[in-house]
Amino acid sequence: MNYNVDEKGYYGDFGGAFIPEMLYPNVAELRESYLKITAEPDFKKEFDALLKEYVGRPTPLYFAKRLSERYNTKIYLKREDLCHTGAHKVNNTIGQILLAKRLGKTRIIAETGAGQHGVATATVCALMGIECIVYMGELDIKRQAPNVARMKMLGAEVRSAQSGSKTLKDATNEAIRDWINNPVNTHYIIGSVVGPHPYPDMVARFQSVISEETKGQLQELEGRDYPDHVIACVGGGSNAAGLYYHYLNDERVNIIAVEAAGKGIDSGESAATSALGKEGIIHGSKTLLMQTPDGQITEPYSISAGLDYPGVGPMHAHLFRTRRAEFISIPDQEAMDWGLTLSQMEGIIPAIETAHAFAALDVRKFGPQEIIVFNCSGRGDKDLDTYIDYFKL
Amino acid sequence: MNRIDQKFKEDKKLLSLYFSAGFPNLEDTVPILKNLEAAGVDMVEIGLPFSDPLADGPTIQESSTQALRNGMTTEKLFSQLEGIREHVNIPLVLMGYFNPMMQYGIEKFLARCAAVGIDGLIIPDLPVDVYHEQYKTLFDQHGLYNMFLITPQTPENRIRYIDQVSNGFIYMVSSAAVTGAQSTFGNTQTDYFQRIAQMNLTTPTVVGFGISNAATYQAASLHSRGAIIGSAFIKFLEEKGVDKIGKFVRSIRD
């Protein structure tokens, strides 16, 4: 079985480009050029140099000694939280801004939920001197004031998405509408492995630097370039796609995806798409998504704004359906507790999204000789207010 | 013969209106259809509301959201349309996004469309290639037409492909934009209308998006077989109500 995208843009039953005709030329231009451009030596050179000198890569693969002792297994953390801007998101925005420049685009748009992708996009636009407009749900703008301020400071315009539920999915709708209205000069930097083909594959490739580095680092540390398990949280799924990428077709590696159960899978306030979703179409991709029986897309919930997306990338839908990956879901409370545990056992304050992944250690047994790599995808600075409220710090 | 083909045989410029089913009130669907036919409208697009209508502007999205709040569902719409062919003879096109149709079940959805007397569909997020490969046979079996959009950016070879796969009419999007009312058309739009007219397509074209008044209606239908009005009609329905539909239609045609 192949777990990469096929030549038509599908992962098994999922993916494709279910887009209005108005978007066809934009998406076709990307589809026809992304592999060619990203394979050019000049592109690779500039991408690698920026990842090294600007983002701070390679990020360390850190052996978490105290955590390993407690769980009697070998736990490594891929430290994406040490990337410039505080999360893995910037790997993708660097790649896409370089692509946009080569396509002659002069205006960038993006969607953001918690603001991390918005900040990562505003950052690379500032770096390149390109106009940047970030769509953000009206409710999220209120909830994530520090990131809104960061984007503004970086010179981006933050536009409030007022339609529908006024959150991430609506910000995505507004960004897509903007792209329809500005088909020639604008590139849309999608922040996750979602959207019409080629976005899921393109974003996964830019994020694949995570597993590429992991291979080399494991070889050095353990004498083999693969772990027994890779574990990451999944909202749309970009950090997970990056960590899984070079292991997708390596059956020695077990893949674990951790979704946000919110207040519990059956509570009506959850973001566990694999458990609650059905096959359908969201933002131009056929995938699993949370919806009413009548096919209206529903609003998910998680305490972590980065995981409350009603769908999941088509690659992950395929990994779920084929059982290539194990999917588990973790409620708010356990994730928050893990935020504290990781802080106090390893001195690393994780993003709440990231904290979800670590809770896999309580759900599942791992052997003493097994090697586990977690994607420590983001740092917790942006979540301090939530942590403060929750733990009465 | 499909009612759409019959309509296009008439020697006149066509006026087609769009509204979101279930808006302003849940039970307005049938009265709106009857009033539109009585007012001399040639064809109607009935919008099946969706939570995330990507190709639509704020007016249509808001009316969709309101319709869903009013309780509109796919099943509800079909039950409202049962028996509609006893009262309304003009072509009826169902316009909606693909996800609600998938959840209803495509085959069952098409069967219900055919049974209530729908003549064709417009599904903005079902690309022509996917339709051609996977669904066309099913549409044909039910005698349903599927209409596609083209825009000023659509490449010529793709327009030819759409022309070949299409039946009924081709929906020409007036400009690079989501739906929404405009007051005039510029030269770029007129050039585009002329360019498409000169391609001599086998499928007739109708212009939509941005048509709001007599002037834009006339400009749009000069180089095509007619025009579709959505947002401006929805605003009118909201402000003036279902009973005044005749007045809206006269303001466009006279």
Side-chain angles (χ1 to χ4, degrees):
Chain A
M1 175 105 51
N2 174 29
Y3 298 99
N4 288 102
V5 77
D6 68 21
E7 69 284 356
K8 287 191 152 179
Y10 283 82
Y11 298 87
D13 300 330
F14 301 108
F18 292 82
I19 47 168
E21 190 61 34
M22 293 86 96
L23 279 180
Y24 178 83
N26 314 30
V27 171
E29 181 185 34
L30 268 186
R31 192 187 61 222
E32 284 152 19
S33 60
Y34 83 110
L35 290 176
K36 206 170 74 207
I37 291 177
T38 54
E40 284 166 4
D42 169 63
F43 180 96
K44 282 179 144 169
K45 204 175 139 198
E46 198 177 352
F47 183 56
D48 291 347
L50 281 171
L51 288 185
K52 181 165 178 259
E53 289 148 21
Y54 188 72
V55 176
R57 304 201 72 91
T59 58
L61 184 69
Y62 163 71
F63 178 66
K65 187 160 169 284
R66 293 188 64 204
L67 213 54
S68 297
E69 276 167 14
R70 178 187 280 190
Y71 286 91
N72 192 26
T73 186
K74 293 170 105 169
I75 298 170
Y76 285 93
L77 272 52
K78 183 61 175 157
R79 296 291 309 278
E80 294 301 301
D81 58 316
L82 295 176
C83 289
H84 178 44
T85 72
H88 69 288
K89 290 286 184 192
V90 72
N91 301 326
N92 168 49
T93 58
I94 293 266
Q96 288 204 46
I97 197 84
L98 294 179
L99 185 69
K101 261 178 57 181
R102 279 159 176 78
L103 291 171
K105 306 294 176 181
T106 55
R107 181 175 176 273
I108 295 294
I109 54 171
E111 84 297 337
T112 197
Q116 286 307 100
H117 172 59
V119 169
T121 304
T123 299
V124 298
C125 288
L127 182 67
M128 298 295 169
I130 295 183
E131 181 187 2
C132 179
I133 290 143
V134 179
Y135 288 89
M136 191 169 183
E138 193 185 19
L139 287 179
D140 290 331
I141 288 179
K142 287 184 187 140
R143 290 192 290 203
Q144 310 286 338
N147 272 342
V148 175
R150 281 187 188 101
M151 288 184 268
K152 287 184 179 166
M153 206 164 160
L154 291 159
E157 180 191 337
V158 180
R159 283 193 194 162
S160 165
Q162 314 266 357
S163 61
S165 50
K166 304 179 171 59
T167 59
L168 176 59
K169 81 176 171 75
D170 309 285
T172 309
N173 293 339
E174 292 300 332
I176 291 174
R177 288 182 184 129
D178 180 308
W179 210 21
I180 289 174
N181 290 328
N182 298 283
V184 180
N185 67 343
T186 299
H187 175 68
Y188 176 20
I189 300 190
I190 294 186
S192 193
V193 287
V194 301
H197 177 69
Y199 276 102
D201 183 49
M202 180 170 71
V203 176
R205 282 168 187 265
F206 289 140
Q207 292 295 356
S208 72
V209 65
I210 299 171
S211 50
E212 191 184 317
E213 286 175 5
T214 302
K215 284 181 80 173
Q217 289 166 322
L218 271 181
Q219 183 67 44
E220 220 164 87
L221 293 161
E222 291 287 344
R224 59 163 156 123
D225 69 355
Y226 66 96
D228 297 292
H229 307 274
V230 283
I231 306 182
C233 64
V234 173
S238 68
N239 91 79
L243 180 65
Y244 304 163
Y245 196 85
H246 286 91
Y247 299 120
L248 284 172
N249 298 311
D250 183 345
E251 302 279 351
R252 295 171 301 185
V253 181
N254 182 47
I255 296 175
I256 300 176
V258 183
E259 291 184 310
K263 294 182 179 167
I265 285 189
D266 302 318
S267 66
E269 291 183 79
S270 177
T273 307
S274 67
L276 298 168
K278 278 179 61 194
E279 190 173 322
I281 288 166
I282 181 168
H283 299 139
S285 180
K286 188 190 275 189
T287 187
L288 296 171
L289 63 128
M290 291 167 57
Q291 50 184 315
T292 67
D294 205 40
Q296 309 298 338
I297 299 173
T298 53
E299 188 57 21
Y301 165 82
S302 162
I303 194 164
S304 95
L307 298 183
D308 64 356
Y309 182 68
V312 67
M315 172 203 278
H316 298 298
H318 183 53
L319 293 176
F320 175 74
R321 179 162 288 179
T322 56
R323 300 179 185 223
R324 172 69 184 97
E326 270 177 60
F327 276 69
I328 56 181
S329 56
I330 298 298
D332 287 352
Q333 192 186 334
E334 286 170 39
M336 293 302 281
D337 289 345
W338 264 97
L340 214 52
T341 305
L342 197 70
S343 302
Q344 298 182 356
M345 287 196 70
E346 298 292 345
I348 295 169
I349 301 175
I352 301 171
E353 291 82 358
T354 309
H356 280 76
F358 289 95
L361 289 167
D362 297 321
V363 173
R364 210 182 165 289
K365 274 271 167 230
F366 299 96
Q369 291 311 314
E370 287 194 304
I371 298 170
I372 308 168
V373 175
F374 281 96
N375 194 343
C376 191
S377 55
R379 71 177 83 126
D381 307 32
K382 71 178 177 67
D383 295 318
L384 266 189
D385 282 347
T386 314
Y387 282 134
I388 289 168
D389 277 355
Y390 191 87
F391 293 114
K392 310 281 174 250
L393 298 169
Chain B
M1 186 190 284
N2 190 300
R3 287 183 199 91
I4 298 172
D5 289 339
Q6 230 156 16
K7 178 54 77 176
F8 278 87
K9 281 187 188 289
E10 290 176 20
D11 183 24
K12 64 188 274 210
K13 296 292 182 182
L14 306 179
L15 173 64
S16 183
L17 294 190
Y18 168 96
F19 71 101
S20 302
F23 178 87
N25 304 297
L26 181 61
E27 299 296 344
D28 284 344
T29 312
V30 175
I32 290 175
L33 291 173
K34 285 182 181 171
N35 290 357
L36 284 173
E37 178 161 272
V41 162
D42 297 295
M43 182 164 66
V44 184
E45 276 84 36
I46 305 169
L48 177 66
F50 182 46
S51 55
D52 295 76
L54 288 182
D56 289 300
T59 306
I60 291 179
Q61 166 140 22
E62 278 158 29
S63 67
S64 282
T65 306
Q66 186 55 47
L68 292 171
R69 265 192 224 120
N70 291 346
M72 184 49 75
T73 64
T74 308
E75 190 54 53
K76 177 77 191 167
L77 178 57
F78 282 134
S79 71
Q80 288 177 342
L81 292 176
E82 245 159 57
I84 193 69
R85 285 305 179 193
E86 291 160 27
H87 311 285
V88 175
N89 295 311
I90 52 175
L92 298 178
V93 173
L94 203 59
M95 185 161 179
Y97 290 79
F98 200 44
N99 194 54
M101 300 177 192
M102 275 176 78
Q103 303 316 315
Y104 195 83
I106 299 298
E107 271 208 77
K108 188 177 146 201
F109 186 87
L110 296 179
R112 284 302 296 277
C113 283
V116 298
I118 293 290
D119 302 294
L121 290 108
I122 299 174
I123 311 169
D125 59 345
L126 177 63
V128 60
D129 339 54
V130 180
Y131 166 75
H132 196 188
E133 279 172 34
Q134 297 178 32
Y135 299 104
K136 188 174 189 311
T137 320
L138 218 51
F139 277 65
D140 290 345
Q141 280 166 9
H142 289 95
L144 290 165
Y145 281 4
N146 195 24
M147 272 69 69
F148 292 94
L149 277 56
I150 61 169
T151 79
Q153 271 73 38
T154 311
E156 182 170 337
N157 59 354
R158 192 165 168 86
I159 296 177
R160 295 275 176 216
Y161 175 52
I162 287 171
D163 185 33
Q164 179 203 323
V165 175
S166 287
N167 32 32
F169 59 90
I170 289 176
Y171 191 139
M172 273 173 74
V173 176
S174 63
S175 59
V178 293
T179 54
Q182 298 176 6
S183 52
T184 52
F185 283 130
N187 286 341
T188 356
Q189 281 159 324
T190 317
D191 289 350
Y192 156 64
F193 298 157
Q194 279 172 356
R195 172 165 65 86
I196 301 301
Q198 283 159 7
M199 283 181 74
N200 291 318
L201 303 174
T202 42
T203 319
T205 58
V206 176
V207 178
F209 287 39
I211 294 156
S212 63
N213 52 26
T216 41
Y217 171 68
Q218 275 164 18
S221 37
L222 192 61
H223 302 285
S224 73
R225 283 304 314 278
I228 300 173
I229 302 179
S231 299
F233 179 54
I234 286 170
K235 279 182 196 154
F236 179 92
L237 278 177
E238 190 174 18
E239 286 161 18
K240 306 279 162 53
V242 175
D243 298 337
K244 301 283 193 301
I245 282 175
K247 200 175 154 218
F248 180 82
V249 174
R250 283 192 300 277
S251 79
I252 302 298
R253 273 235 157 106
D254 296 345

